Amino acid sequence: MNVLVTGYQGYIGTHLVDLLKKNNHHVVGVDVGLFDGCAWEDYTQPDVIIRKDIRQLHISDFKGIDCVMHLAAISNDPMGDLNENITYSINREGSIELAKMAKKAGVSRFLFSSSCSIYGKSSKPDMVESDPTVPITAYAISKIACEQAISQLADSNFCPVFLRNATAYGHSPNLRIDLVVNNLLACAISRGDIRIMSDGSPWRPLVHCKDIARAFVAFLTAPTHDIYNKIVNIGGNSQNFQVKDVGNLVQKLVPNAKIVYTGEAGPDSRDYKVNFDLLKQILPNFELEYTLESGMKELFQKYLSYNFKVSDFESEQFVRLRTLKKRLYLIENN
Ligand SMILES: NC(=O)c1ccc[n+]([C@@H]2O[C@H](COP(=O)([O-])OP(=O)(O)OC[C@H]3O[C@@H](n4cnc5c(N)ncnc54)[C@H](O)[C@@H]3O)[C@@H](O)[C@H]2O)c1
């Protein structure tokens, strides 16, 4: 199939392009290059590259495309807070326009990368797709707005699907260390401590970034009537963890590292457990390849062979917020 992937150079996108190509799909990659030069490994290139802001795409860019996988975004709460207007412009307005253009161009399937973080501080232990969401940040508000607006476009020729991904972790050619698991492990290896920015009690659903990419590939070929206009949580029921569990697993890998609970309330009050039964129901053959433990072991080995140091832990290469601050000019005046 002909697949257009936005955000193909990102943490998840680099896995996704590789998997799509391994499955013999033709891939068009769109990215503005916010994290150019940040990858720590080479990654598979798409067949065609469109180096553009998603807000600059033309209908002709979608010619012959069967499915759009839309991942490009300012991709988490702190980055979204850096400049809320840009976040709304790209993540909300830009994404909705992109979906409209794809539909107009005759694209029949649109897979949107949403997030479980919209559950915010959950009111009950097992959040399902129909539960009320508590979007507080510009990032989360944008994700919900897209789900709502793009679902209105669904018709017999256009099938949108909303993949509400758990928080990602694990190795990718373009690593992010702002994500909790990657961060705690990197901190332990490079600084010798495991700094948990809370009392460790908040719950998070976690999923390997490659498993998110695998889910996108599975939704590409799933029968339309099984997935039509559905919102689906992406992760596994056994993969909800308290942050302190993550800290303990890190300590198993780096026994000399000390766990430090900073106890900060911080701006991030997210605390939610998520139910993933619908994913199992819709794609019964889809299994996660990784558990948190196996994914952490793999990343641990990668950090060791890279000789990951304090200077890396603080570098623009791995700390996304720093790079983004310097490269805002790429997306500011669009
Ligand atoms: N990583 C997670 O934990 C997670 C969890 C849930 C949902 N998601 C969603 O999945 C998607 C991908 O996440 P990621 O972790 O790979 O993010 P990422 O930041 O690593 O990658 C995003 C990519 O999009 C590109 N991009 C950003 N704005 C653009 C624009 N205006 N035009 C063209 N390209 C642009 C960037 O250059 C980057 O390569 C995002 O939509 C994110 O919100 C991620």
Side-chain angles (χ1 to χ4, degrees):
M1 285 201 216
N2 282 328
V3 184
L4 185 145
V5 178
T6 72
Y8 82 91
Q9 291 182 294
Y11 177 61
I12 300 168
T14 44
H15 274 304
L16 182 53
V17 172
D18 184 57
L19 289 173
L20 287 167
K21 299 264 298 175
K22 283 186 173 135
N23 283 276
N24 298 318
H25 298 293
H26 180 268
V27 183
V28 178
V30 176
D31 207 299
V32 75
L34 286 179
F35 307 111
D36 262 2
C38 293
W40 65 342
E41 283 176 8
D42 290 339
Y43 53 90
T44 308
Q45 294 299 312
D47 299 287
V48 177
I49 290 176
I50 303 179
R51 191 177 172 87
K52 268 189 196 171
D53 189 309
I54 54 154
R55 296 166 295 175
Q56 312 263 298
L57 288 170
H58 295 291
I59 198 154
S60 56
D61 292 318
F62 297 88
K63 193 159 178 256
I65 298 294
D66 302 301
C67 175
V68 169
M69 299 184 175
H70 179 40
L71 280 74
I74 303 303
S75 58
N76 68 14
D77 295 308
M79 291 202 273
D81 293 344
L82 184 64
N83 185 328
E84 289 195 353
N85 291 338
I86 294 184
T87 301
Y88 285 125
S89 171
I90 295 173
N91 293 17
R92 187 177 59 191
E93 280 83 52
S95 297
I96 295 168
E97 274 316 304
L98 178 87
K100 285 183 181 164
M101 201 180 283
K103 178 176 175 175
K104 214 168 174 181
V107 174
S108 55
R109 193 165 289 194
F110 188 90
L111 306 183
F112 178 72
S113 198
S114 189
S115 169
C116 282
S117 70
I118 55 167
Y119 294 121
K121 209 170 168 54
S122 61
S123 47
K124 65 192 232 334
D126 221 14
M127 299 302 280
V128 295
E129 289 80 353
S130 54
D131 280 326
T133 55
V134 191
I136 301 159
T137 59
Y139 174 76
I141 292 167
S142 305
K143 291 289 183 194
I144 286 287
C146 285
E147 289 186 5
Q148 289 167 349
I150 297 169
S151 72
Q152 303 290 315
L153 304 175
D155 66 19
S156 55
N157 297 316
F158 186 72
C159 170
V161 188
F162 308 94
L163 284 74
R164 271 190 195 162
N165 304 305
T167 300
Y169 67 87
H171 169 259
S172 154
N174 203 347
L175 189 72
R176 293 175 55 173
I177 61 161
D178 54 329
L179 300 164
V180 62
V181 174
N182 301 356
N183 183 274
L184 294 182
L185 196 50
C187 188
I189 288 173
S190 62
R191 295 178 28 137
D193 57 13
I194 303 164
R195 291 183 74 77
I196 297 180
M197 304 295 195
S198 67
D199 62 0
S201 63
W203 285 90
R204 284 281 187 293
L206 296 169
V207 65
H208 198 285
C209 54
K210 188 173 169 197
D211 278 324
I212 296 180
R214 291 176 61 250
F216 272 89
V217 177
F219 276 95
L220 173 64
T221 49
T224 301
H225 58 84
D226 290 345
I227 62 169
Y228 179 73
N229 211 10
K230 288 219 159 84
I231 297 172
V232 190
N233 293 331
I234 305 297
N237 288 340
S238 66
Q239 299 298 297
N240 285 286
F241 295 89
Q242 282 181 290
V243 178
K244 63 183 173 198
D245 300 330
V246 178
N248 291 336
L249 280 172
V250 170
Q251 206 178 37
K252 261 175 82 178
L253 291 167
V254 192
N256 292 333
K258 227 174 78 201
I259 299 183
V260 182
Y261 290 102
T262 68
E264 294 162 53
D268 188 357
S269 61
R270 283 179 296 154
D271 183 9
Y272 52 103
K273 280 176 86 173
V274 176
N275 180 294
F276 298 94
D277 288 350
L278 183 62
L279 175 62
K280 264 260 136 294
Q281 205 179 303
I282 292 180
L283 299 177
N285 296 325
F286 181 80
E287 298 283 350
L288 298 181
E289 191 176 305
Y290 290 89
T291 60
L292 178 59
E293 207 160 351
S294 69
M296 279 174 77
K297 275 189 191 151
E298 181 191 62
L299 181 59
F300 177 62
Q301 289 306 329
K302 296 275 182 187
Y303 279 137
L304 290 189
S305 49
Y306 188 79
N307 193 18
F308 195 89
K309 298 187 281 300
V310 177
S311 53
D312 297 311
F313 187 66
E314 291 165 358
S315 68
E316 278 170 20
Q317 179 181 6
F318 296 104
V319 182
R320 290 300 184 78
L321 202 51
R322 290 203 176 154
T323 311
L324 187 62
K325 276 183 189 161
K326 282 184 94 170
R327 304 222 175 130
L328 274 177
Y329 69 92
L330 282 172
I331 45 176
E332 245 162 1
N333 299 311
N334 285 301

